[in-house]
Amino acid sequence: MTEQRSFSTGYVDTARSWFDEVLRAARDVHVIGERRAAEGILLSLDRWFIDRAVVTREPSPLTELTMVVGAILGDDVLRRVDSGVYLEEASVLHNPLGAHITLTFDDAGRLGRAVLAAIPTHAGDDAPGEI
């Protein structure tokens, strides 16, 4: 996806259903390995929506997800994204910059729901992001 800034309501509803189902299934199955399962859920959610050029312009759950994914794919340390704005006190998970993060299902649930709530939507059969 490139530079898409809003998504059809159907697309976001499908993503929300997917997210809820995957998180529920992961909680049921993963007694050991919660951290990696939570990371995988957020990595997958990231692929539904995130355009790196769009999310870094203001503090939001989308920017926070970008930073968390960067930590997951890197060394588990939360770092500011280029030209990004991050305010710990306004963030969902309240992790300080430079902190080593270890995610739980509760973390994935809170951040995922905040991301889905922050996604701009629009109606229309020919809307971008329609599936």
Side-chain angles (χ1 to χ4, degrees):
M1 174 186 64
T2 60
E3 298 188 24
Q4 189 167 328
R5 295 173 187 256
S6 67
F7 300 85
S8 70
T9 303
Y11 186 84
V12 174
D13 288 345
T14 300
R16 183 175 287 110
S17 294
W18 168 87
F19 177 79
D20 289 340
E21 181 181 339
V22 168
L23 186 58
R24 187 173 35 258
R27 286 182 188 274
D28 291 345
V29 172
H30 288 280
V31 176
I32 300 174
E34 178 177 2
R35 172 185 173 198
R36 293 297 181 209
E39 289 174 350
I41 291 167
L42 290 176
L43 286 169
S44 296
L45 181 62
D46 177 72
R47 297 292 41 144
W48 278 84
F49 298 107
I50 303 305
D51 174 348
R52 304 290 174 245
V54 173
V55 299
T56 61
R57 295 185 182 143
E58 63 185 42
S60 76
L62 302 168
T63 300
E64 187 172 358
L65 178 60
T66 298
M67 294 170 62
V68 167
V69 165
I72 292 168
L73 296 175
D75 58 1
D76 296 322
V77 174
L78 191 69
R79 291 186 171 82
R80 185 179 316 274
V81 290
D82 291 339
S83 73
V85 177
Y86 177 76
L87 302 172
E88 178 185 345
E89 62 277 4
S91 69
V92 176
L93 301 179
H94 304 295
N95 291 311
L97 287 173
H100 183 273
I101 62 171
T102 301
L103 299 167
T104 66
F105 288 137
D106 289 340
D107 294 334
R110 282 196 324 275
L111 184 54
R113 284 192 225 25
V115 165
L116 289 164
I119 297 290
T121 62
H122 52 78
D125 293 334
D126 59 349
E130 189 69 52
I131 55 172

